[in-house]
Every structure is written in C-alpha cells, then in structure tokens.
C-alpha cells in the first residue's frame, strides 16, 4: 500500500472520532489530553537520550497532561500559573531524584519545551471553544487539516520552488499556495454549511482569507520548527502512532503554532 | 572588604530603590522588567555558548522583557497567550536566521527556559499586587530577603547538617531553620507595622507561619535548582551585577519559585 493511500485511510478512520470530541467541552478536554499525552511522550523521548532515565519521560508526560486537565477544567483561566507550577514541580522532582547534572538540564528542558510547545499551545483550543464557540474551534482544526492536505498533494504534483533547504527540503511555494487555496475553499464551505445546519457562529466571510493566510504561514513555520528539532535528534518521524502520518507530533506541529495565533486574532477582533 | 560586608552594603544601597518601586503598579512593571532584563541576560549567556551567536542572547532578552511588559500592562491577564507568542516568535526567528541546527535547539531552549523560569515566574508579582494589594506583594519580596539573610548568617555560624551535597554544598538544615525564624519574625513585625502605618491589607497572622514555611521550602529548592544549572555550565556566579551577591539570577533564584506558589496559595485562600 502506498504511503499516500495509508495516509488517506488513516485520516478517514481517525478524523470522525476527533471531530466528534467537539460536541462538548469535556470531551474536548479529553481529546486535547490524549493528543498531548502522545505528543509530549514523543518529544520527551527525543530529548531524553539516556536509557537510565527513561522514567523522567513519564514524569514529564504526567506534568504535561496535568497542565491540560487543570487548565481545561478551570475554564481556560490561570494558564500561566499552572504552567509555572508544573515547571517548578519538575525542577524540584529533578533536583531531588536525579543524580547527574546534565540529566537535570536535559530533562527539565525537555519538560519545559513540551509544556509550552505541546501542552500550552494546543490548550488554546479551550479559550477558543469557550469564548468563540465550538464552530470556530473546529474550524481551526479542520482548516489546518485541509491546508496540510492541499499543500501535500499540490506540493507533490507541482512543487518546484523550495523554501527551506536547511530544515525541511520537501516544502515548496507551490505547495503552500495549494494549501492556502484548499484551506480557503474549505473554510467558505464550512461556514456556509455549519451556519445553515447548526446555526453555529463562525468568523465572518471577510475574515476567511486572512485566517487562511495565517494558517498557511504559521502551519509552515510550525512544521519547519519541528523538522529542525527532529534533525537535531536525528529522527525522521517523531513516532509511529498514525500510519502514513508519522507520529502525533508530526501531525500536530503546524497546529501548535496556528492555534494560539488564531486565538489572539479572534480576541482582538481581527478575525 | 570582606564579602559579607560588601553584601550588606550593597543590600542597603539597592533595597530602598527596589522597595520604592512598589509605590505604583507602573513602577512595579518597570522594576520587574529591569530585573528580568538582567537575569534573562545572565541565563541566556550561560546557555548560549557559541560566540558567533551572541546576538541570539539579545533576541531572547528582548522577548523576555516584551513578555513582562505585555503581561504587566494587560493587568496580569492572558499570561499563557503572551508566553506562547514569545515562544513562537523565537522559534520562527531562529528557523529563519540561524544556520546550524544545534544552535536552534540551544537558543530556543535557553529562551523558553528564561521565559518560564525568569520572566513567567517573576511576573506573578503583578497578579499578587493587583488582586491582593501592594502590601502582600512587598511582603513576598522582603520575606524572601529576610529568609535569605537569616539562612546565610545562621548557616555560617551554626551550619552542620548538609542537605544537598550534590548541587549546593553550603546549604544546611540549621541555616534553613534560622531563615524560617527570621522570615516569620519579620513577617509579624511587617504586618503589625504596615497595617498600623498605612492601613494596608496583609495576610492574617495565622497565615504567617505557613507563608514562612512556604518561603523556606521553595526558596531553598529555587536556590538548589539554579545551583544545578550553574554547575552544568561550570559557572560560580550567574553574573557580577550586585557586589557580594553574585549576579541578578543568584539573587532572585529563590524568589522565582516562591512568587507563583504564594500567588496560588493566596488565590485559594490558604494564606
């Protein structure tokens, strides 16, 4: 089976479950917790090299998931506070239990990176959901999927102008344009359909091109940043959890940058 | 001049300026920004080893101070959002401008560590000031000073039982007890005096022993954590900005853990 075919089949199996989690705020907390569990495990496995300290991966993952649950159930308030407390907890745990100093540094840094990059950034689905409604939250997720899909297929077929030889040699300008257009087309259909079917509130039509541009730019940077991290650790994929898609972190790397930026633009009335 | 004498003189010169900054919220933002500027510079100088990439230190410092200013002026709201945006900005800056991949990793990690450890943790003075009044904010700072002073002098005179041979061989149980007692005595005098003089609101007397215990425990861990980082980087002091005290980071390491913990205990009515 070709990788593309595996990728499409996986997407069609997993996507409905993910979308269904947007039906309630509590199921969304469950979804984000599960994704952060897998992605932070992958990230911490990359950054914690020594076999002797494998248990530090689990401590870091627990702190990441604890952050998501606390932040989610406190209605997306006090995010910085919970993040700081998880960081302090990891620092105290490590100075008590870890013997070698380089391990303290690597393990704390891996945990911090994961807290802010994976758990923190993905948790912006909570305030989007609570303040701007489930329809805008689901649009943020699905628009990124459509962007990725458009960029992938257009990139394979027409990709010529490489944009990041250093970190991500497969990215092309043509792919980004294809991603932008499929994201925009999808957003328009999404808005028309969901407002008609559910009376849901989606950002105005005039905002959709800006939103699609934001998705294109920040998804691309998110992807390149994760590629840079993987190259540093000499990994091709962050994991194997999603056949044809690589690991969970590979799948959400763009989303991690898109979500906080979408939230701030919604907050300031730009979208 | 002995180190102790230099230390005392520096303290008596600097302390009045620092205390005066608590007179208004805006001057507090100025104080926290200045401290974060110096401390994040020291931390980033430790973590960025290569001379070629010295400018990355400045980028990281700018992002740290920008976080403090944004968070302060938005009335201690949206902390997680600003932290995430600074992280995304640093990641994008680095994938665009930095050539070598290990540099991306070190520079982003140094910036993230500083954002959460220095800028994030110290910024909890803002919500303490806004929600629980200037008197509780100033108490958090000065109680840590008195704890440090008590622990230092009692430790020098009576210190026998070492608590962290690994990371911080000078710490003793006797010092911690001395610190706790001087912190508690000071807090009682502070509350009595400030409530009489300014009609200020300070946490109840019954909370002061708990508060002093929190200061003792988290100040000690904060100090040990910073020692662990410095040992990893083979530095004795984080800098030379305060004669007799080492660097700014050495001076505030305990405070960085005490401040968020004090805020959450105040928020949940435990203090």
């Amino acid at each position: 089976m070709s990788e593309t075919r595996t990728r499409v089949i996986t997407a069609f199996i997993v996507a409905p479950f993910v979308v269904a989690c947007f039906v309630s705020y509590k199921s969304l907390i469950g979804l984000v917790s599960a994704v952060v569990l897998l992605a932070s495990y992958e990230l911490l496995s990359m950054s914690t090299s020594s076999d002797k300290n494998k248990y530090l991966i689990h401590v870091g993952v627990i702190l990441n998931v604890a952050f998501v649950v606390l932040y989610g159930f406190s209605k997306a308030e006090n995010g910085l506070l919970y993040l700081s407390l998880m960081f302090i907890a990891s620092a105290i745990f490590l100075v008590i239990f870890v013997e070698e100093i380089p391990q303290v540094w690597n393990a704390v840094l891996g945990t911090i990176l994961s807290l802010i990059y994976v758990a923190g950034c993905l948790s912006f689905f909570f305030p989007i959901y609570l303040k701007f409604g489930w329809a805008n939250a689901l649009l943020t997720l699905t628009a990124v999927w459509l962007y990725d899909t458009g960029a992938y297929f257009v990139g394979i077929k027409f990709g010529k102008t490489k944009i990041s030889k250093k970190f991500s040699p497969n990215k092309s300008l043509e792919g980004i344009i294809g991603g932008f257009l499929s994201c925009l087309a999808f957003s328009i259909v999404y808005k028309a359909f969901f407002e008609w079917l559910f009376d849901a509130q989606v950002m105005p039509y005039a905002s959709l091109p800006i939103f699609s541009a934001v998705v294109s730019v920040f998804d691309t940077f998110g992807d390149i940043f994760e590629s840079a991290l993987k190259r540093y650790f000499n990994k091709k994929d962050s994991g194997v959890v999603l056949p044809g898609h690589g690991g969970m972190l590979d799948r959400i790397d763009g989303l991690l940058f898109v979500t906080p930026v979408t939230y701030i633009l919604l907050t300031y009335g730009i979208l």
Side-chain angles (χ1 to χ4, degrees), chain A:
Chain A
M1 197 152 59
S2 77
E3 204 194 305
T4 302
R5 211 179 141 186
T6 316
R7 188 176 167 122
V8 171
I9 291 170
T10 304
F12 274 93
I13 292 171
V14 174
F17 289 100
V18 173
V19 170
C21 289
F22 280 74
V23 78
S24 91
Y25 183 63
K26 282 174 189 160
S27 56
L28 180 68
I29 296 177
L31 173 67
V32 174
S33 303
V35 172
V36 167
L37 181 96
L38 292 168
S40 64
Y41 181 81
E42 291 171 3
L43 184 60
L44 282 156
S45 303
M46 287 203 274
S47 68
T48 309
S49 44
S50 146
D51 273 333
K52 204 180 132 197
N53 289 285
K54 281 276 181 235
Y55 74 99
L56 290 175
I57 298 173
H58 302 127
V59 174
V61 170
I62 289 167
L63 291 172
N64 270 269
V65 175
F67 166 79
V68 172
V69 171
L70 278 168
Y71 181 63
F73 279 105
S74 64
K75 298 199 166 65
E77 302 273 336
N78 289 324
L80 184 63
L81 180 65
Y82 296 127
L83 203 75
S84 303
L85 293 179
M86 296 305 139
F87 156 67
I88 293 173
S90 77
I92 290 179
F93 182 89
L94 290 159
V95 291
I96 294 177
F97 292 106
V98 180
E99 290 298 317
E100 306 106 281
I101 290 171
Q103 305 295 346
V104 174
W105 182 239
N106 288 338
V108 171
L109 282 190
T111 303
I112 293 171
L113 178 67
S114 184
L115 277 170
I116 187 163
Y117 175 48
V118 178
C121 286
L122 203 65
S123 290
F124 281 97
F125 273 109
F126 300 148
I128 294 177
Y129 192 99
L130 292 173
K131 290 185 199 164
F132 304 102
W134 66 268
N136 279 312
L138 185 58
L139 175 61
T140 306
L141 176 69
T142 49
V144 167
W145 287 351
L146 266 287
Y147 172 81
D148 284 345
T149 309
Y152 180 79
F153 287 107
V154 174
I156 282 178
K157 198 149 175 89
F158 303 104
K160 274 180 204 147
T161 323
K162 302 298 181 194
I163 59 152
S164 173
K165 279 176 197 149
K166 269 187 296 185
F167 301 125
S168 202
N170 289 327
K171 292 241 166 316
S172 68
L173 192 61
E174 293 79 6
I176 293 174
I177 294 167
F180 170 78
L181 292 175
S182 72
C183 176
L184 180 60
F186 167 77
S187 306
I188 294 167
V189 173
Y190 177 99
K191 178 172 166 73
F193 185 70
F194 276 63
E195 291 197 337
W196 170 74
L197 193 65
F198 300 112
D199 282 327
Q201 285 294 317
V202 182
M203 60 182 83
Y205 282 109
S207 299
L208 295 178
I210 308 169
F211 173 66
S212 303
V214 166
V215 168
S216 308
V217 170
F218 287 93
D219 187 285
T220 304
F221 276 119
D223 201 320
I224 295 175
F225 176 68
E226 201 237 346
S227 298
L229 288 183
K230 282 193 300 191
R231 290 202 162 215
Y232 178 65
F233 294 118
N234 290 314
K235 300 252 176 180
K236 187 185 170 293
D237 289 333
S238 65
V240 292
V241 74
L242 296 168
H245 293 253
M248 182 57 82
L249 193 59
D250 297 319
R251 198 74 287 275
I252 63 166
D253 51 8
L255 195 62
L256 295 175
F257 282 17
V258 169
T259 314
V261 175
T262 300
Y263 173 68
I264 200 167
L265 295 178
L266 283 167
T267 301
Y268 286 104
I270 296 165
L271 290 182

